[in-house]
Amino acid sequence: MIPRDELAQHRRAVQLNPRDANAHALLGITLLKARALDEGVANLRRALALNPKVKGLHAVLAAALFELGQFDDAAAAYRQALRFQDAADLHQGLADALLRLGRPDEAEGSARRAAELASGNVGYLLTLASVLHALRRNEELVALFERVLELDPDNADARYDLGHLLFGLHRHAEALACHQAVVERHPGHVKAWRYLALSLRALRRNGDAVAAFEQAIALAPGDAQLQADLGATLQMEGRLPEAMAVLRGALALEPHNVMGMRALIHCHFALGEWQTALRLAREAIAVDDTPEAHSMLLFILSHCCLDADELTREHFAFGERWETPLLALRRPHGNDRDPLRQLRIGIVSADLYNHAVTRFVAPVFEALKDSPQLALFVYYNNTIDDDMTRQLREQAAAWRPIMHLDDAAAERLIRADGIDILVDLSGHSALNRLALFARKPAPLQATWVGYAGTTGLQAMDYILCDRFLVPAGRYDSQFTENIVNLPLGAPFLPDPGAPPVNPSPAQANGYITFGSFHRASKLSREVIAQWARLLHAVPDSRMLLGGLQSGIDDVLVDWFVAEGIPRERLLLRERSGVYDYLKQHYEVDICLSPFPYSGATTIGHALWMGVPTLATVGATNPSHAAAVFMAHLGLGTFITENDDTYVQLGVFLSQNVDALAAMRATMRERFTRSVLGYPDVAAAGLELGLRKMWQRWCAGQEAAPLRVDLAELVPACAG
């Protein structure tokens, strides 16, 4: 508190000598101490107008202007002060003022100079950290925080910030270590507990993540985001009933929590409750109008929509919603229009690890790794790094992680790499980058495997697919893309550790056993009703349901019971490791495919174990995936378009057990002798399909439907 007489004394001095700079300066400083900031600043300005060289006064004025929020004037005052003194605190002040003005690029020089002049001062280093954060120079920022912690190991805020930064860079093991260190010293640090749990989840240690989230919730029981995080983790763990209870609690606290809404949708979808999942997905779009939310809706629709017109309309609407606003951002491509040169092929995927998609693409990568016709540039949108990831990385000409990049940055990278054809492997499945494709970063773009159906984008010029997946003329109107029919869309890589095929179980049992190993999200009341009709028609048969998760078996059993199939006729098998899962086929004579999303990987596994699949195809393209394997193996009679014929086929097969046994014994030989057993066929077909697309572009022609025939591949496959 400034004594009144002191302030009055300085006022009198100014009155007696209004042109005395020192008098104005002393009054201004005294007013600042008295918190009369505006009047104090006015007197300091008057002092400097009278004598611009009053020592130290520019710095005092700058600090006062900063406190008043007059950052432009503060920056100017700091610059004036620096003319007289190259001091760390002045550089820090200027950097802080420029940061407040949203000009971090201008602030960088001063922030660096402050840190240089006082390299052991944590405060100056943290100012530089703020600048680097604003400039998104995250790798430099990591090193800077590490320096801060060398100087001040007990700085919990800096250690938390470093952990948060490492998490954002997907360096999850390092982030975990940071947050563990914070909570060890500060066990009540809720945010550190949250990011510790998120790091554990990113490292696929979901059980430990659940415990960490529970610890955070104990500290902050009313935090809806923490409860949503916990519910989402339980959902990833397959603990669906627990997850749903937690998620409903989170949404009661915060009805529009995006994480909670998405996780609850996944729970209902996993349980085959499609109508509820669809309703929630539409509600989620109203709250979170993003391409990701829209893709989630379309993914669910692809599994349950039987109306081809509706499914097509919904997918095309994705392009209209998300592609149209980006048209103005598109720029021409200067790629060399040489129709015969080596092509630079970009592959965009989040599934290049031990995932179902790699069963199909890994053999193709292997076959193409030394191709003189093309070079594979991979843009990987995930952080999972396992043996399969490392194998694929070795086979690529270049491997670019892009999960940390926004679409604009990813486009710059793709253009800098000179990609000729950019290929999507995700469609509307999780972690897709379709919004990136909508920007048209490459002259030609195509989608291949990973999703059953169209992307809905006009920017996606082609879809590369098996001739049996999209039979000529049957589903063409359901795609925005031009269809490139290949002799083999992709091979299937059987598990090298698969058990041998066993003898026919029906011959030993005296009855037929049907089976399904499809995830429950492909099942529905309608699917169970169709299967129940078959079970009624073969009254001594059994039905094995494999790959079940907690909470799902009760739902499916109830559906069968509602259709008149008692629990005693059902064989329930829990989800297990790959070897045990494949061995569960020892109990099954015929697999049944769901609809309208029939799947592919599960059918491939079953065939490798000697078990054919009975399936119906319908009006939507996702239903046709089952036909691919069966047609290539000469088992097209197992596919029908009629529900009555489906039941009749099942009855016929149940009465011909010896024929099924013979088929089972020779299935692997049939598999390896088909084109499915020749990855070189898929690789050569893909290579030629891409070349035909490229040649049209080089000739200035619009994209158009294309076909690659097996006869065209003879020289390539023979070589």
Side-chain angles (χ1 to χ4, degrees):
M1 188 72 179
I2 304 298
R4 290 186 180 182
D5 57 345
E6 180 181 343
L7 188 58
Q9 180 181 349
H10 288 304
R11 289 190 189 281
R12 282 196 300 273
V14 168
Q15 289 170 354
L16 290 171
N17 195 352
R19 297 192 60 79
D20 186 339
N22 287 331
H24 281 286
L26 290 171
L27 175 58
I29 292 170
T30 305
L31 287 165
L32 294 182
K33 291 178 180 178
R35 306 306 297 160
L37 300 184
D38 288 311
E39 189 181 356
V41 164
N43 276 274
L44 294 179
R45 286 187 186 279
R46 178 60 178 157
L48 287 168
L50 292 167
N51 182 3
K53 296 182 179 180
V54 177
K55 187 177 180 180
L57 203 57
H58 288 289
V60 176
L61 175 62
L65 290 166
F66 186 96
E67 191 171 355
L68 285 168
Q70 298 176 26
F71 300 121
D72 263 318
D73 289 344
Y78 276 121
R79 286 194 173 100
Q80 286 295 324
L82 285 164
R83 292 176 60 192
F84 299 99
Q85 184 183 11
D86 185 26
D89 62 329
L90 298 179
H91 281 291
Q92 182 189 43
L94 176 55
D96 283 337
L98 291 168
L99 276 174
R100 298 301 194 284
L101 292 167
R103 289 148 58 183
D105 50 336
E106 295 179 48
E108 183 180 0
S110 283
R112 287 193 182 280
R113 182 61 178 157
E116 179 185 333
L117 289 169
S119 59
N121 185 296
V122 168
Y124 298 149
L125 291 175
L126 290 175
T127 295
L128 178 56
S130 297
V131 172
L132 293 177
H133 175 72
L135 293 171
R136 299 185 180 182
R137 304 251 278 279
N138 291 335
E139 295 296 344
E140 291 181 67
L141 192 51
V142 167
L144 187 60
F145 273 126
E146 289 172 345
R147 172 64 177 149
V148 168
L149 290 168
E150 286 176 11
L151 295 168
D152 185 8
D154 294 328
N155 191 322
D157 290 338
R159 196 172 297 279
Y160 168 78
D161 288 342
L162 174 59
H164 189 273
L165 177 65
L166 290 166
F167 182 85
L169 289 169
H170 308 294
R171 292 164 59 177
H172 296 122
E174 297 168 79
L176 175 61
C178 277
H179 291 121
Q180 283 176 325
V182 173
V183 300
E184 284 171 7
R185 297 191 182 197
H186 304 276
H189 199 304
V190 176
K191 290 183 178 179
W193 274 112
R194 178 175 185 243
Y195 275 93
L196 186 154
L198 290 171
S199 299
L200 287 166
R201 190 171 76 188
L203 292 166
R204 307 175 88 179
R205 293 170 55 184
N206 288 341
D208 292 335
V210 166
F213 279 127
E214 289 173 342
Q215 178 64 42
I217 290 170
L219 295 168
D223 191 314
Q225 185 58 54
L226 285 172
Q227 294 194 31
D229 288 332
L230 172 60
T233 310
L234 290 166
Q235 174 257 314
M236 294 173 190
E237 276 275 87
R239 295 160 61 178
L240 300 182
E242 294 174 75
M244 293 177 82
V246 172
L247 291 167
R248 289 188 180 114
L251 292 169
L253 292 169
E254 187 182 324
H256 292 163
N257 184 284
V258 172
M259 168 71 77
M261 296 179 78
R262 289 187 181 184
L264 188 59
I265 292 166
H266 278 295
C267 288
H268 285 290
F269 181 57
L271 290 168
E273 297 171 353
W274 293 342
Q275 296 306 317
T276 302
L278 279 175
R279 175 179 57 78
L280 292 175
R282 294 191 189 281
E283 292 176 8
I285 289 176
V287 173
D288 179 38
D289 188 19
T290 60
E292 294 77 15
H294 203 157
S295 281
M296 178 183 288
L297 170 67
L298 296 178
F299 189 81
I300 296 169
L301 276 171
S302 72
H303 283 67
C304 65
C305 183
L306 299 169
D307 185 329
D309 290 338
E310 178 187 358
L311 188 64
T312 303
R313 183 173 61 254
E314 291 275 8
H315 277 75
F316 285 17
F318 178 88
E320 294 166 7
R321 171 65 183 88
W322 300 109
E323 189 171 20
T324 304
L326 296 173
L327 293 177
L329 299 178
R330 290 190 187 171
R331 295 182 287 117
H333 304 91
N335 302 55
D336 179 9
R337 290 181 183 260
D338 179 351
L340 299 178
R341 68 173 173 83
Q342 187 187 55
L343 299 178
R344 297 164 80 87
I345 307 299
I347 303 290
V348 181
S349 178
D351 300 327
L352 300 180
Y353 59 97
N354 187 21
H355 183 280
V357 166
T358 57
R359 291 275 167 193
F360 302 97
V361 303
V364 177
F365 270 55
E366 172 68 28
L368 293 176
K369 66 179 180 180
D370 298 318
S371 171
Q373 295 296 313
L374 54 83
L376 296 178
F377 287 67
V378 173
Y379 301 92
Y380 186 44
N381 196 47
N382 210 326
T383 59
I384 299 173
D385 194 318
D386 59 16
D387 289 342
M388 179 58 73
T389 311
R390 291 185 280 276
Q391 174 188 320
L392 295 171
R393 187 161 53 232
E394 290 172 1
Q395 294 163 352
W399 187 277
R400 317 285 198 213
I402 63 166
M403 192 171 186
H404 64 294
L405 298 180
D406 63 19
D407 290 341
E411 178 179 8
R412 289 193 295 270
L413 179 61
I414 291 164
R415 284 180 176 270
D417 283 338
I419 296 303
D420 299 309
I421 305 176
L422 192 65
V423 182
D424 158 63
L425 300 189
S426 299
H428 288 285
S429 59
L431 298 180
N432 72 73
R433 296 299 294 264
L434 290 181
L436 168 61
F437 279 83
R439 301 170 73 99
K440 196 77 172 188
L444 289 173
Q445 301 188 151
T447 186
W448 172 52
V449 306
Y451 186 68
T454 183
T455 62
L457 296 177
Q458 297 295 330
M460 200 70 76
D461 302 288
Y462 294 97
I463 181 168
L464 297 145
C465 53
D466 194 288
R467 60 195 173 104
F468 291 122
L469 179 62
V470 187
R474 174 158 184 158
Y475 299 111
D476 295 21
S477 64
Q478 297 180 24
F479 293 89
T480 53
E481 303 85 356
N482 292 282
I483 296 166
V484 182
N485 262 308
L486 303 175
L488 176 62
F492 179 75
L493 184 68
D495 191 275
V501 175
N502 70 316
S504 166
Q507 288 182 318
N509 294 335
Y511 57 83
I512 204 86
T513 302
F514 299 105
S516 167
F517 296 91
H518 295 275
R519 51 185 164 84
S521 57
K522 294 182 183 179
L523 309 182
S524 66
R525 294 296 300 266
E526 292 76 15
V527 170
I528 301 306
Q530 185 195 58
W531 291 355
R533 281 190 64 201
L534 177 55
L535 292 171
H536 283 303
V538 187
D540 61 346
S541 63
R542 302 289 188 274
M543 180 77 199
L544 183 144
L545 298 168
L548 297 180
Q549 293 176 262
S550 172
I552 291 176
D553 50 354
D554 291 338
V555 172
L556 295 181
V557 168
D558 289 345
W559 288 352
F560 274 104
V561 170
E563 298 295 333
I565 304 299
R567 167 67 179 79
E568 293 73 28
R569 293 183 66 184
L570 304 176
L571 308 174
L572 307 181
R573 301 291 180 263
E574 292 184 357
R575 178 174 290 187
S576 61
V578 175
Y579 183 87
D580 290 334
Y581 147 64
L582 292 173
K583 202 166 184 179
Q584 288 174 5
H585 290 79
Y586 278 14
E587 302 179 71
V588 178
D589 298 287
I590 304 169
C591 278
L592 304 180
S593 178
F595 59 86
Y597 196 103
S598 61
T601 308
T602 310
I603 294 170
H605 283 308
L607 287 167
W608 190 247
M609 295 306 299
V611 183
T613 294
L614 185 62
T616 54
V617 296
T620 63
N621 181 242
S623 72
H624 223 87
V628 175
F629 280 102
M630 305 303 290
H632 277 302
L633 268 60
L635 300 173
T637 53
F638 282 74
I639 307 296
T640 177
E641 299 185 37
N642 183 279
D643 290 348
D644 292 334
T645 305
Y646 178 88
V647 173
Q648 292 166 8
L649 278 170
V651 172
F652 174 79
L653 291 168
S654 72
Q655 296 169 349
N656 288 271
V657 171
D658 291 342
L660 278 174
M663 185 183 299
R664 188 186 193 96
T666 59
M667 191 70 81
R668 286 194 181 177
E669 181 181 2
R670 183 192 292 259
F671 196 105
T672 55
R673 287 186 176 181
S674 74
V675 293
L676 286 173
Y678 290 90
D680 285 350
V681 172
L686 179 67
E687 193 173 66
L688 183 54
L690 294 169
R691 179 64 60 181
K692 288 185 175 187
M693 291 157 48
W694 178 249
Q695 288 171 339
R696 289 190 64 85
W697 187 79
C698 290
Q701 298 174 326
E702 294 291 328
L706 298 171
R707 180 181 179 87
V708 176
D709 293 315
L710 191 59
E712 297 179 84
L713 308 182
V714 172
C717 293

